[in-house]
Amino acid sequence: MADLNSLQDLGSANVAETSAPVHVQKLDAHGRAYATGKRKDAVARVWVKPGSGKITVNDKNFADYFARPVLQMVLRQPIVAANRDGQFDIVVTVAGGGLSGQAGAVRHGISRALTYYEPSLRSVLKKGGFLTRDSRTVERKKYGRAKARRSFQFSKR
């Protein structure tokens, strides 16, 4: 880089413009895309590969693991938004938190894995808000308090 001793030198220097990052396909040795999704205390490890559309969560069918239809819908949102229904086999291991947090973690992981497998889907999934990690977690308990914010019952006498 050229010697920059004054502001005039800085103005005349040729500064290379930074370009947007180029997203490339990231696959493992088996031709799968891997991603980690998180929500609350739940962490989901997701593998995506081309297939018939089978979704397996912790060695069970996703409909058996997530019995509530709302959670099944949450899990399938990124696949439906990307118009890739029935094109990928998805294997998930999820741990921690409750069912709702786990469904959110799986959704986040599937979205990230889809972008690793097919980088052209990134704009669609980002627009839908599926790539954003929901950072809301439970507030910690403070000392001198019953819970995070609730104080103990006050008594004058």
Side-chain angles (χ1 to χ4, degrees):
M1 182 132 178
D3 257 352
L4 300 176
N5 297 325
S6 67
L7 290 175
Q8 284 79 23
D9 294 343
L10 182 63
S12 64
N14 290 336
V15 180
E17 289 193 30
T18 58
S19 61
V22 178
H23 297 284
V24 294
Q25 190 179 43
K26 297 178 188 173
L27 301 179
D28 63 6
H30 302 287
R32 305 174 300 188
Y34 169 79
T36 305
K38 295 181 179 181
R39 170 85 170 90
K40 294 187 177 180
D41 275 342
V43 179
R45 298 183 300 160
V46 180
W47 289 269
V48 170
K49 65 179 179 180
S52 59
K54 198 170 106 179
I55 303 174
T56 309
V57 178
N58 289 353
D59 297 324
K60 292 182 181 177
N61 184 16
F62 84 102
D64 296 335
Y65 191 85
F66 295 110
R68 290 195 308 225
V70 172
L71 298 180
Q72 295 174 20
M73 185 259 316
V74 164
L75 185 136
R76 297 186 69 242
Q77 276 178 331
I79 305 163
V80 173
N83 284 335
R84 296 294 184 268
D85 207 7
Q87 295 182 20
F88 291 106
D89 283 344
I90 300 171
V91 178
V92 180
T93 57
V94 63
L99 283 178
S100 176
Q102 287 186 351
V106 171
R107 178 180 98 157
H108 186 228
I110 288 174
S111 305
R112 290 180 65 184
L114 281 174
T115 59
Y116 291 151
Y117 194 88
E118 214 174 314
S120 60
L121 295 176
R122 185 173 171 81
S123 62
V124 175
L125 294 172
K126 188 139 181 85
K127 203 166 284 175
F130 301 123
L131 295 177
T132 306
R133 199 274 202 222
D134 192 348
S135 60
R136 296 176 295 169
T137 57
V138 177
E139 190 175 345
R140 77 172 188 88
K141 186 194 175 301
K142 319 298 189 300
Y143 57 86
R145 298 263 172 180
K147 291 165 50 177
R149 298 188 180 195
R150 190 203 184 292
S151 40
F152 297 111
Q153 184 172 343
F154 176 75
S155 173
K156 196 180 253 188
R157 284 176 199 74

